[in-house]
Amino acid sequence: MSPVARHFHATSSLSVHKMAPYSLLVTRLQKALGVRQYHVASVLCQRAKVAMSHFEPNEYIRYDLLEKNINIVRKRLNRPLTLSEKIVYGHLDDPANQEIERGKTYLRLRPDRVAMQDATAQMAMLQFISSGLPKVAVPSTIHCDHLIEAQVGGEKDLRRAKDINQEVYNFLATAGAKYGVGFWRPGSGIIHQIILENYAYPGVLLIGTDSHTPNGGGLGGICIGVGGADAVDVMAGIPWELKCPKVIGVKLTGSLSGWTSPKDVILKVAGILTVKGGTGAIVEYHGPGVDSISCTGMATICNMGAEIGATTSVFPYNNRMKKYLSKTGRADIASLAEEFKDHLVPDPGCHYDQLIEVNLSELKPHINGPFTPDLAHPVAEVGAVAEKEGWPLDIRVGLIGSCTNSSYEDMGRSAAVAKQALAHGLKCKSQFTITPGSEQIRATIERDGYAQVLRDVGGIVLANACGLCIGQWDRKDIKKGEKNTIVTSYNRNFTGRNDANPETHAFVTSPEIVTALAIAGTLKFNPETDFLTGKDGKKFKLEAPDADELPRAEFDPGQDTYQHPPKDSSGQRVDVSPTSQRLQLLEPFDKWDGQDLEDLQILIKVKGKCTTDHISAAGPWLKFRGHLDNISNNLLIGAINIENGKANSVRNAVTQEFGPVPDTARYYKKHGIRWVVIGDENYGEGSSREHAALEPRHLGGRAIITKSFARIHETNLKKQGLLPLTFADPADYNKIHPVDKLTIQGLKDFAPGKPLKCIIKHPNGTQETILLNHTFNETQIEWFRAGSALNRMKELQQ
């Protein structure tokens, strides 16, 4: 009987059996895997016992352990440390013996906590259930923010989402209760805002199953986006592996003022570093300019660091963080952070692998896009560029909010712009939507009048959720294929990202610039210099917005949307119907057969950008995130086939007919044909979604060969037993044609740092050999041999 089947009744719905005693299983895992014990035993030696959050009063901040580990590493390295190094190395499993070399060695780390959003939590919890473990070993939370589609407005959209997704929400709520995971119900808000308001703190090491987890860097934490399998490792209490990051320093001088906002800092940095310039590195902001940025502004900057491929981003602890902690009911954490402040800022004289300097006093408002978040333009210039490039100047929709820009300050600055327009009798020429980041933000901006001002200028306040930012947008004002422009305060603007229309030109900027442009209705408007015409016919110019960083009164928490896991969950059931179309229990992937991979068929050779949106689309597909077979029907449907320049159209090597990518992959799997994908640069950039790795594995893929990978996706592929390989010579990408077959040799002697050989077999009978590099370490090679990281975990349990 499979590990999954052992824990479920074979009835119309499968229910978790009462498992072995927690202490016994934990002891076995600790013995086999070197699991830390302080999360499953009483916490000792606290200089001051301060809880990580109000929701976990018995889980304490371990600054004493952080300090101890930093001192060990500092003595070993004998040099000043960056803030990133202090926090990362301060969480080492074995600081005395861990090999440490930036950009090369793999670190074994002990994160403090795990956070999962509902779309990714489904697969993460299914994998955790499959592991056979009875409880999570570290504080963990689930946040329902991805499955709420924007249609008409907040309350109606939320009610509809609860009805449509009832099965999934029930699964997540009961799984959370069963395994000790906190559950934030739909309507709570976006995961990253909830984390900032309740869980992030200076010096925390947090991993989250969403690429914008780095948002928590705004509170001085190292918060890293990962796939669900990584989360399972941490929830199981197993040391988590991360390639030792390089550190990119961004020195901020001057101060923000006028129309320039925190968003402009990361828009500028994205233009400098591009979408892959931060890969393998932590971006660490420092310098005198930091103090001119609010805590939530720092979070905005860190959040969108995901768009440059960075492992994460972080700011040093300062008074703006102290104010935010106090305002969100965590003055005790602020006081403790003050005591340990030397460990929460970089050492003088520390070394950065790359240093960028941005003078905030000279920085101008920016707008990036379309189709990529690193195409940076000053707002003053974008209109002329759009005219030259043929981008639509007319703005159809302006959208503010998202996990990147939905703070109290963001809403206040947007409302300040809207008030000026209303005073002159104007409303938005474009459609205008507002997405509060959390229930606390929604309730507070309603109380303080911001929400009504934004409605008065023509806006619609949507549910506290991701919504339009991730493609959960039931858009009615255009037809698919219609060329149009939208302007958002979001983070990501890939082709079709927001509305599934490849002709939507999406631009990202600050909320106040979005508001100004929505009022003007055109990309040619520069609020710093241009005039509007009021209802009375008189010209006027918008003044730079000014708003409070935090509410003068306390935050209004709004509705209580949190579910505590019960102390005794022995009677808790987790239901997964065997006939469900939304949820599906996992079967283990097949184990490597010990042989080289012979005669791999090329499923698709991808041309150009291929993000995780291209590999596993979101939007309407989000409803299948808990059902691996159903969601596999979106595999690579957005990727462009180099053979014909089309999306979702590939040649079946057996029938010679062109058809959808998933159908062709299923045909190959049915006929025992193993296949490979050939990719271009930075393959898998964007979202952390591990479905982009699970789907090719499920449908018979064995390897992905590219010029380069985005960090999270490369790790996700390894976790699922696939081979992410790169061309030793990027020019070899051109040697492979979609009709070729490939043989990967050297797997019997698979070893870290040792290239593999690839034999390219052309249809005319000729062959050529190229070399393929990889970044596998010994542990990751064991994942491959076992068939997946989860399979390897089960082997170690046995």
Side-chain angles (χ1 to χ4, degrees), residues 352-387:
Y352 295 104
D353 296 283
Q354 181 179 351
L355 186 62
I356 297 168
E357 185 167 332
V358 177
N359 186 334
L360 301 180
S361 298
E362 297 175 356
L363 184 64
K364 289 293 186 180
H366 272 62
I367 182 168
N368 288 22
F371 305 124
T372 184
D374 59 347
L375 186 57
H377 320 276
V379 171
E381 300 174 11
V382 70
V385 175
E387 279 189 314

Side-chain angles (χ1 to χ4, degrees), residues 91-112:
H91 286 82
L92 285 169
D93 180 50
D94 184 6
N97 298 297
Q98 170 72 61
E99 187 178 356
I100 300 171
E101 186 176 358
R102 288 187 196 171
K104 293 189 177 180
T105 57
Y106 279 86
L107 307 178
R108 289 165 60 87
L109 301 168
R110 297 291 190 177
D112 296 299

Side-chain angles (χ1 to χ4, degrees), residues 558-598:
Q559 299 179 39
D560 182 7
T561 55
Y562 179 70
Q563 172 187 292
H564 289 269
K567 290 182 180 179
D568 180 9
S569 62
S570 57
Q572 180 67 51
R573 293 165 56 93
V574 180
D575 294 328
V576 179
S577 168
T579 60
S580 172
Q581 295 301 301
R582 298 286 301 270
L583 297 164
Q584 180 185 49
L585 294 172
L586 296 174
E587 292 295 329
F589 288 130
D590 59 300
K591 189 174 181 178
W592 176 56
D593 62 9
Q595 304 299 313
D596 288 338
L597 296 174
E598 300 278 350

Side-chain angles (χ1 to χ4, degrees), residues 710-731:
R711 175 192 63 85
I712 300 176
H713 186 59
E714 182 179 20
T715 301
N716 286 346
L717 291 167
K718 292 176 183 177
K719 286 278 186 178
Q720 303 306 335
L722 280 153
L723 287 171
L725 307 170
T726 56
F727 297 105
D729 179 358

Side-chain angles (χ1 to χ4, degrees), residues 390-447:
W391 304 332
L393 292 171
D394 177 55
I395 298 171
R396 298 294 291 268
V397 192
L399 311 98
I400 66 170
S402 85
C403 64
T404 316
N405 276 114
S406 56
S407 68
Y408 184 81
E409 181 183 35
D410 288 328
M411 296 298 168
R413 284 173 69 87
S414 294
V417 175
K419 281 182 183 178
Q420 296 179 61
L422 289 168
H424 289 84
L426 295 187
K427 290 191 174 185
C428 292
K429 288 185 178 178
S430 310
Q431 293 183 42
F432 187 42
T433 68
I434 302 97
T435 307
S438 67
E439 170 61 8
Q440 179 168 275
I441 293 296
R442 183 207 63 78
T444 306
I445 66 171
E446 288 286 1
R447 180 197 69 193

Side-chain angles (χ1 to χ4, degrees), residues 601-617:
Q601 189 65 55
I602 296 170
L603 176 65
I604 183 173
K605 182 178 179 182
V606 177
K607 178 183 178 182
K609 184 186 284 285
C610 189
T611 71
T612 48
D613 280 82
H614 294 87
I615 303 167
S616 177

